[in-house]
Amino acid sequence: MKSSIPAMRQAQFAFVTLVAMMVLAVPAAQAASCGKSGAGFSAWLKDFRAEARAKGISNKTLNRALKGVSYDRKVIRRDRSQRSFKLSFKQFYKRRVGSYLMKRARSKLKKHGKLLRRIEKRYGVPPEILVSIWGLETNFGRDGSGKYSIIQAIATLSYDCRRSKFFKRHLHAAMRIVQRGDMTPKQMRGGWAGEIGQVQFLPGSYDKYAVDYDGNGRRDLRRSVPDILASTANYLRAHGWKRGAKWSPGTRNYRAIKEWNRADVYARTISVMARKLVR
């Protein structure tokens, strides 16, 4: 009996050691899934590459898309300092919609009238709604500066713990956009949160709802007005837009607008601007 005691103690010690190692391993695994500083970004990006390959993205695409991508602290600072949606509707509308924007919007309605009517016939979304969104997002393309690398911005936000799950699906979508040939990594420049083109589609929305309305073989939301407007209409239709119905707050179509942007002040601004353009 005496000779078995050391063996038992050794077994107990080994078990305790194993448990301790497992407990210590849990935080490490959790830390690898996201981060609050740039320290673990390179390791995380390596894991993302493996995950993307498993989802059908080629090594060639990954090498092109992720070359030189690093943790972007400027993007994190922008993500933490959003204030405009805290304004009242009256304040927000006054700041975003002035006589100049309305004048340009009416000009766009006239210039692209035939195109807008064709799109409405196909998707059911009125020209005034499409032009309002186009104007509010980028002032009809004038404000789409392309300051940020979309892939780097989305990768940073995917790694960041605040909204990792949300942005990671957009990072996968960005890889599919590159692989499909709609845009090169160099062309993918836009907003700090990864917004693409003149109506500011996130990569996931671009991947799912963008359409090649001009028929040139590419879905171009940076320069092709037919693609830009038809893609916006396609997105709204997919989110419940009802042809011929009103779009005031409380309606089904207003809910579709809120799927475009869930901030109520923004959705109301689209709704009111479009109503004024009808007059």
Side-chain angles (χ1 to χ4, degrees):
M1 291 293 292
K2 288 182 179 180
S3 63
S4 65
I5 292 175
M8 290 176 62
R9 286 178 177 172
Q10 288 177 2
Q12 289 172 345
F13 178 79
F15 177 76
V16 170
T17 301
L18 178 62
V19 170
M21 289 174 65
M22 291 174 65
V23 170
L24 290 172
V26 171
Q30 290 176 342
S33 66
C34 68
K36 296 182 179 179
S37 72
F41 182 77
S42 295
W44 178 89
L45 195 61
K46 184 177 180 180
D47 290 343
F48 172 79
R49 289 175 65 100
E51 186 178 312
R53 283 195 298 270
K55 291 179 178 290
I57 304 299
S58 69
N59 278 320
K60 181 180 178 181
T61 296
L62 290 167
N63 289 338
R64 290 175 62 215
L66 299 177
K67 182 180 179 180
V69 168
S70 60
Y71 182 77
D72 195 331
R73 290 176 177 80
K74 291 181 181 178
V75 167
I76 297 299
R77 286 197 293 271
R78 291 295 303 270
D79 182 58
R80 303 298 193 264
S81 62
Q82 299 178 73
R83 294 187 180 90
S84 62
F85 292 146
K86 296 179 181 179
L87 300 173
S88 69
F89 165 69
K90 187 176 181 180
Q91 291 170 324
F92 186 84
Y93 189 89
K94 184 178 180 180
R95 178 176 292 187
R96 297 298 295 271
V97 183
S99 58
Y100 172 76
L101 188 69
M102 291 297 289
K103 183 178 179 180
R104 291 205 74 209
R106 291 191 174 97
S107 175
K108 295 296 181 183
L109 283 170
K110 184 176 181 180
K111 180 178 180 180
H112 302 291
K114 290 182 180 180
L115 169 65
L116 286 160
R117 286 191 290 274
R118 289 200 305 271
I119 291 172
E120 182 179 18
K121 184 176 181 180
R122 180 168 179 177
Y123 297 100
V125 182
E128 294 80 8
I129 289 288
L130 301 178
V131 168
S132 294
I133 290 173
W134 189 16
L136 285 166
E137 290 292 350
T138 63
N139 188 13
F140 308 104
R142 287 193 173 185
D143 298 339
S145 62
K147 182 178 180 181
Y148 294 87
S149 161
I150 288 170
I151 293 174
Q152 179 159 295
I154 292 290
T156 298
L157 293 167
S158 299
Y159 166 72
D160 182 60
C161 289
R162 194 169 88 85
R163 290 186 287 172
S164 179
K165 185 177 180 180
F166 173 80
F167 280 106
K168 197 172 186 182
R169 65 183 177 89
H170 289 294
L171 186 57
H172 281 291
M175 299 300 103
R176 292 193 293 271
I177 290 168
V178 173
Q179 183 154 286
R180 178 171 172 163
D182 287 321
M183 299 176 75
T184 67
K186 187 176 180 179
Q187 290 171 335
M188 294 185 73
R189 298 196 65 84
W192 65 265
E195 305 96 328
I196 301 171
Q198 295 189 32
V199 284
Q200 301 286 272
F201 270 38
L202 285 174
S205 297
Y206 195 120
D207 182 48
K208 192 171 183 180
Y209 302 110
V211 295
D212 174 23
Y213 198 76
D214 63 13
N216 71 348
R218 293 176 57 248
R219 303 177 299 171
D220 183 359
L221 302 191
R222 298 187 308 138
R223 291 184 294 263
S224 171
V225 171
D227 289 5
I228 289 163
L229 296 173
S231 297
T232 305
N234 186 44
Y235 180 99
L236 291 171
R237 184 179 69 172
H239 287 84
W241 188 274
K242 185 178 180 181
R243 183 187 299 271
K246 295 180 179 180
W247 57 75
S248 54
T251 63
R252 172 178 171 175
N253 285 346
Y254 187 76
R255 290 194 293 273
I257 294 172
K258 287 204 72 175
E259 288 297 324
W260 179 271
N261 191 306
R262 297 188 180 184
D264 193 60
V265 290
Y266 201 99
R268 286 181 65 189
T269 297
I270 293 171
S271 174
V272 171
M273 182 178 173
R275 188 181 72 239
K276 289 182 177 181
L277 287 173
V278 172
R279 296 173 184 172

